[in-house]
Amino acid sequence: MAEEQSRASGPLRPIELATASVLAALAVVLTVVGWFLPHLTLIAAFAVVPLGVVSHHYRLRALLAATFAAILLSFLVAGTGAATNIVECSAVGGLVGTAKRRGWGLPGVAMGVAVIGPVLAGLSVGLLFLFSSLRKLTLQQVKNSWKTIKKLLSNLPGSSGLVHHLDSWVNRAITDWWATIAVLVILSTIWFSLLGWVFVGAVLERLQWIRAQDRLDPDDADQLRQPPGPVPATLEEVGYRYPHSDHDVLAGVDLTIADDEMVALVGDNGSGKSTLTRILAGRRPTVGRITRPGRAGLGMVGGTALIMQHPESQVLGVRVADDVVWGLAAGVEVDVDGLLGRVGLAGMGDRETSGLSGGELQRLAVAAALARRPALLLSDESTAMVDETGRRDLTELLRRLPSEGTAIVHVTHRPEEAEVADRRFRMTAGFLIPDAPAEAPPGHLPPPGPELDLEVREMREPERLIVQGVSHTYGIGTPWAGTALEDINLTVEPGEGVLVVGGNGSGKSTLAWIMAGLLRPTYGTCELDGQPMHTRIGAVGLAFQHARLQLQRATVGKDVRAAGAADDDEVGVALRSVGLNWPKFADQRIDALSGGQQRRVALAGILARRPSILVLDEPLAGLDHPSRDALIDLLAGLRRDQGMTVVVISHDLHGMERLCDRVVQLDAGRIVADAPREAAER
């Protein structure tokens, strides 16, 4: 479990640092809001909740790191009082989180409060004794607050006696300030503990299905003391089983990666390819062993660099140039412009990463990996969303890198990419088969057509999707504004199959979001049956380019059900239609799926809603060949048998002639061609 791993010895791990940083920031926000906004002082007490979650999930040192960061930031923003609130919330949150984890119950918390309450009271009184200026400021704040309250009370009829008694009591409290402070701190500790017990528990229940796992960080603390030396690497009888799983995803893997070769890894979705790259990146295998000269050194200069299937999850910089050097020490020299040129992003250093297309994000991930001058580069489907020209260029770049001192392990479904490697291996149900051909062996999925008995909603004959005079600019009115589309005019007829093509950054994904109503164009209109698309969200089913962003539930079955399936029978039908077996995948966790499997689950959820129009953004990226063919056959069957309109955005044109009879080409945000498929091919 992640919690057990995070409490091992050694320095803070990345997952602990990341979680502590985010929750510390949340604690500061709650404190500052409660400190500054009138009548919202209670909100500051809720800072105990995020700090309690840190204590529940991770080691004491993670809580201390979060506390230190929160104290520093809150002091800079709001002064001593806010910092003091963080200290108290951290102490109470640490107590409540530990009690929840160990099952102490309220009696255990009460015993803890009996200890930390007086300790916090003593520290508070001691600080005020030592710092007279702070004491005067604190007492003056109390006096000013009482004056305001006293003035309000004095305006009430018959309140003079009450005001007199309260005035006397407040003056005595200020005179005996040390006792007053001690009592208030103890009472607030009790209050914070009760608040924390209720709300930390509620938050933990909501987060119970999230079991954060750092699948890259090595388990062995001894590795952290070794210098980087990832290759040559030898795996002997390596196997791996994920926590809470009942089967191995890797079994008996024997493999040696030399320091001057390119190795291609092919195989069907879910066969274990990505898990094997994690083992090479430093993850400790469940069984077997891996030997190499030093540690994997993931992310270190001269260590291992990993390009993941989902580039959006590893792009952190605001600007392209910032992301290339993100995490590198200040003294490391990097030719940022040169690296961007090598991956096809020349001149884009000042672009914001949030405006990049999927293919551009993948290119950026390659540049950031090369900035580490790695001895081992693990490329997991790093070209899946790159246009055809870019794929050829990146593949050629990977082929040259071993001669420059970087060993390559490239995971791919594309035969032309595997062909250029020195050696090829195929993963099959967790087993590694050497000397594999680049082409996939014959295979098929169950024919999807008969299974999909979810009929689409009835479409009225004039129901056309009309895009008229559409232009869109991101960040309009700002210095970093960027135009994605210009004067797009496009009509999609009912039952039509349209293929939208174009290079990375040509505006295809922006057009898809506008057609689905999720993005309102800066200029122009997009209408379905005469109604603006932003008023008919859901009428068009959109499959995101990054499928993981579309999956919002813990397990496959729950996600498809939430997406639109009426019952488990419909969930099963939708999953089988995209080649996923319902009993096998029903309880599979989303984060345990491969990228291709996640893409199929997202599509199953869309189909369960029975849309009359489908817009699919790179639906074939990351799918193995049998899955691609089955998906194309499924969509073609929906067009033929149920009259569904299908708009496909794809760089992968193989088999598309079975689905789309019209091709629209975008270039630099404009339509440069719109013709029947036969004419476009000529």
Side-chain angles (χ1 to χ4, degrees):
M1 293 178 63
E3 290 86 352
E4 296 169 350
Q5 296 168 2
S6 66
R7 294 189 192 104
S9 60
L12 285 172
R13 299 171 183 269
I15 193 170
E16 294 177 289
L17 282 170
T19 305
S21 299
V22 171
L23 294 181
L26 178 57
V28 171
V29 170
L30 292 170
T31 296
V32 172
V33 169
W35 205 253
F36 282 121
L37 296 185
H39 313 300
L40 293 178
T41 306
L42 176 64
I43 292 180
F46 282 91
V48 72
V49 176
L51 296 173
V53 172
V54 174
S55 175
H56 179 272
H57 284 308
Y58 302 110
R59 295 177 287 173
L60 174 61
R61 65 182 60 188
L63 176 62
L64 293 177
T67 302
F68 177 79
I71 289 173
L72 181 60
L73 186 55
S74 59
F75 176 77
L76 293 174
V77 173
T80 307
T84 302
N85 184 78
I86 291 292
V87 172
E88 188 166 9
C89 288
S90 174
V92 174
L95 171 64
V96 172
T98 302
K100 290 284 186 181
R101 185 178 71 242
R102 297 185 178 179
W104 288 349
L106 274 175
V109 174
M111 293 178 62
V113 170
V115 174
I116 67 174
V119 170
L120 290 173
L123 289 174
S124 300
V125 172
L127 285 173
L128 292 177
F129 262 122
L130 289 174
F131 301 101
S132 59
S133 297
L134 178 61
R135 181 174 70 248
K136 292 177 181 178
L137 177 61
T138 302
L139 297 179
Q140 188 60 49
Q141 287 176 332
V142 174
K143 291 178 181 179
N144 292 337
S145 298
W146 168 238
K147 285 180 180 179
T148 302
I149 297 173
K150 180 179 177 180
K151 185 175 180 180
L152 292 173
L153 291 176
S154 298
N155 293 326
L156 298 176
S159 63
S160 58
L162 175 62
V163 171
H164 175 74
H165 286 297
L166 289 176
D167 191 49
S168 176
W169 184 86
V170 170
N171 289 331
R172 175 61 63 89
I174 292 174
T175 301
D176 299 331
W177 63 266
W178 54 271
T180 303
I181 294 296
V183 170
L184 288 176
V185 169
I186 291 174
L187 290 177
S188 65
T189 302
I190 295 172
W191 162 241
F192 279 24
S193 299
L194 291 173
L195 191 74
W197 180 260
V198 173
F199 286 96
V200 169
V203 170
L204 291 175
E205 287 179 8
R206 295 295 300 269
L207 298 180
Q208 188 175 11
W209 61 273
I210 300 178
R211 293 194 292 266
Q213 300 174 9
D214 189 344
R215 300 178 180 177
L216 299 176
D217 194 40
D219 282 339
D220 192 349
D222 291 337
Q223 295 183 25
L224 301 177
R225 292 186 285 270
Q226 299 177 355
V231 285
T234 300
L235 284 68
E236 300 176 74
E237 291 295 315
V238 163
Y240 192 80
R241 176 177 296 189
Y242 286 107
H244 312 288
S245 175
D246 59 357
H247 67 281
D248 293 333
V249 291
L250 291 180
V253 173
D254 292 305
L255 175 66
T256 296
I257 305 295
D259 57 5
D260 60 352
E261 67 172 341
M262 178 179 179
V263 173
L265 197 59
V266 299
D268 293 343
N269 296 133
S271 59
K273 304 184 300 297
S274 294
T275 301
L276 180 54
T277 63
R278 294 186 182 111
I279 297 294
L280 290 169
R283 188 67 172 165
R284 186 178 182 180
T286 308
V287 297
R289 65 174 184 169
I290 177 170
T291 57
R292 46 185 148 209
R295 61 183 291 199
L298 183 62
M300 300 177 64
V301 174
T304 301
L306 172 61
I307 306 167
M308 296 185 288
Q309 285 189 15
H310 312 293
E312 70 279 4
S313 65
Q314 67 182 112
V315 172
L316 301 174
V318 175
R319 297 186 314 139
V320 168
D322 297 334
D323 190 78
V324 174
V325 297
W326 186 274
L328 287 174
V332 178
E333 294 184 3
V334 178
D335 180 6
V336 174
D337 292 337
L339 285 176
L340 292 177
R342 294 191 77 180
V343 300
L345 298 178
M348 295 178 60
D350 289 330
R351 282 271 303 272
E352 284 199 343
T353 55
S354 60
L356 299 182
S357 68
E360 289 169 336
L361 287 173
Q362 287 198 305
R363 295 171 190 251
L364 177 56
V366 175
L370 295 180
R372 274 93 182 138
R373 298 191 292 275
L376 174 63
L377 176 60
L378 305 172
S379 163
D380 192 354
E381 295 283 357
S382 63
T383 64
M385 288 180 285
V386 179
D387 56 56
E388 184 176 358
T389 301
R391 278 202 307 270
R392 288 197 299 266
D393 293 342
L394 286 180
T395 302
E396 177 61 22
L397 173 61
L398 294 176
R399 188 189 67 80
R400 294 197 306 266
L401 287 175
S403 64
E404 300 175 13
T406 299
I408 303 294
V409 176
H410 183 47
V411 177
T412 182
H413 290 301
R414 299 183 180 277
E416 66 273 17
E417 295 181 8
E419 283 286 1
V420 305
D422 299 302
R423 291 188 295 155
R424 290 172 293 277
F425 295 84
R426 178 171 296 280
M427 293 294 302
T428 302
F431 293 92
L432 190 68
I433 303 172
D435 303 319
E439 289 283 355
H444 66 279
L445 294 175
E451 288 285 350
L452 192 65
D453 55 7
L454 302 174
E455 293 188 5
V456 302
R457 63 181 180 82
E458 183 179 354
M459 182 186 295
R460 289 166 289 179
E461 183 60 29
E463 194 166 44
R464 296 177 175 84
L465 186 63
I466 300 176
V467 179
Q468 187 171 9
V470 162
S471 297
H472 190 77
T473 300
Y474 289 102
I476 189 169
T478 68
W480 47 88
T483 299
L485 294 175
E486 290 188 65
D487 195 27
I488 299 295
N489 293 284
L490 179 67
T491 298
V492 180
E493 299 290 344
E496 195 172 18
V498 180
L499 175 63
V500 181
V501 299
N504 293 134
S506 59
K508 302 186 302 298
S509 294
T510 301
L511 178 60
W513 280 62
I514 289 175
M515 294 173 80
L518 300 181
L519 187 66
R520 296 181 69 171
T522 308
Y523 304 104
T525 60
C526 179
E527 297 181 345
L528 180 64
D529 195 23
Q531 299 177 9
M533 269 311 309
H534 68 270
T535 67
R536 300 197 59 184
I537 295 175
V540 173
L542 172 64
F544 293 0
Q545 189 176 82
H546 307 299
R548 181 63 184 90
L549 302 180
Q550 201 157 2
L551 304 174
Q552 302 297 318
R553 295 295 186 271
T555 64
V556 170
K558 289 180 179 178
D559 197 273
V560 177
R561 183 71 180 266
D567 50 37
D568 287 346
D569 289 338
E570 287 195 1
V571 172
V573 169
L575 286 174
R576 286 192 295 271
S577 73
V578 296
L580 297 177
N581 182 271
W582 161 242
K584 177 181 177 182
F585 281 90
D587 296 323
Q588 284 269 14
R589 295 184 63 81
I590 292 296
D591 285 329
L593 302 178
S594 69
Q597 290 169 333
Q598 289 179 352
R599 192 169 294 279
R600 283 189 270 171
V601 172
L603 181 57
I606 294 171
L607 293 176
R609 295 203 302 269
R610 305 173 179 86
S612 59
I613 301 177
L614 276 178
V615 177
L616 308 174
D617 195 353
E618 295 291 354
L620 305 182
L623 295 185
D624 54 51
H625 286 280
S627 299
R628 292 183 190 188
D629 290 340
L631 178 58
I632 291 174
D633 289 341
L634 165 67
L635 296 173
L638 290 173
R639 276 197 65 203
R640 180 184 63 250
D641 302 331
Q642 300 186 24
M644 181 178 286
T645 304
V646 180
V647 179
V648 179
I649 295 170
S650 181
H651 294 301
D652 194 333
L653 308 183
H654 178 72
M656 282 296 172
E657 68 279 359
R658 307 200 305 271
L659 173 60
C660 298
D661 42 31
R662 176 183 171 193
V663 179
V664 175
Q665 184 176 358
L666 291 180
D667 183 35
R670 292 180 176 273
I671 293 180
V672 295
D674 184 354
R677 178 177 51 81
E678 294 81 1
E681 290 176 351
R682 292 196 297 270

